[in-house]
Amino acid sequence: MARSLGMPLLIEGEPGTGKTDLPIHYAKDRGLDLEVYPVGSKSNIEQFVARFDHVKYLRDSQIEILNAQREEKGLSSKLTTGDRNPESLADYVVKGPAAIAYSKPHSVLLIDEIDKAPREFPNDLLYALSHRKFIMPESGEVIEISEEEMPAIVITSNREQELPTAFKGRCIYHYIDFPDKEVMGKIIEKHHPGLDEQVVRVALDVFYHLRRLGLERAPTTREILNWLKYMGDIAPKEAVKKIEGLEGIGALIKTQADMERINRMIGADNAAFGSLN
């Protein structure tokens, strides 16, 4: 739908649901070029589209002057600018993922974790993308693409902060639900083939029980894969005991408050068991 309408696809969901992998596999399956822009707290449109390297331009201009002076003195050796020419401003334009993707019809452009960006970035981003044309700084080079040849633009978000309403309104929206036990079992099998079935079953029971507790940070796919990677080097019967005893729980629990809550629950269970004895 996003491809047909020429609109960005905004994908939200918990970490570990495959948001980033989706456009990567889409590009791979269809043999399309992929450009990725990982968003950070200092992201800006210049990094995303293109910027002019003033430092390199100034340095090369000084080298040209030095070479002219050396030539006047009869010196044959020259300092190099790396095949760049200060008279060609295009040599100093550093194209970002957007400019590169727009130069490749039907490519895929992934803007990953936009919720990490400064507040103004999403709206600046949408304005830049909606024109389907970029003018390179200083050089004036125009990169333009038709609606039919637009890149497939995929934007992911973990919802760490709410995106502007106007921004979301200009995207096709999709939410990826967290995998259920059956799907998670297939994910584990793909990453850890040959792992003992009982080990996996017990680990899944513990994992989804923890997710139902309403923790500050519920464990994600990456965490259970790491936990089972650790358990995979242990004999199955021993691994089951360790899982049931929540050994290595630091692979799943990532905040002090959550760890304290789990420890209190373990202590309460042990006290109840002791009173029964």
Side-chain angles (χ1 to χ4, degrees), residues 3 34 43 57 62 87 94 126 149 156 159 174 191 197 199 201 220 228 232 236 244 246 253 255 259-260 262 272:
R3 292 291 291 138
L34 171 69
S43 291
Y57 175 74
Q62 292 172 336
E87 294 183 5
V94 181
L126 197 61
E149 295 181 330
T156 71
R159 303 189 70 177
H174 180 63
H191 285 268
E197 291 183 8
V199 171
R201 178 176 57 78
T220 66
L228 284 171
E244 291 176 337
L246 299 185
I253 304 302
T255 73
M259 188 68 78
E260 290 175 350
I262 298 301

Side-chain angles (χ1 to χ4, degrees), residues 64-134:
E64 288 291 302
I65 294 173
L66 289 172
N67 283 337
Q69 293 173 344
R70 292 167 70 89
E71 187 174 351
E72 289 178 358
K73 294 178 181 180
L75 300 174
S76 58
S77 62
K78 290 186 177 182
L79 302 173
T80 179
T81 60
D83 295 327
R84 295 181 301 272
N85 184 353
E87 294 183 5
S88 175
L89 296 181
D91 290 350
Y92 301 91
V93 174
V94 181
K95 294 179 180 177
I100 297 172
Y102 272 52
S103 302
K104 301 175 180 178
H106 305 295
S107 58
V108 179
L109 175 58
L110 168 60
I111 304 166
D112 201 25
E113 299 189 343
I114 193 173
D115 51 318
K116 292 183 176 179
R119 184 65 182 174
E120 67 276 4
F121 182 74
N123 288 328
D124 292 344
L125 172 68
L126 197 61
Y127 178 82
L129 295 175
S130 64
H131 286 73
R132 299 197 302 275
K133 179 173 71 173
F134 298 129

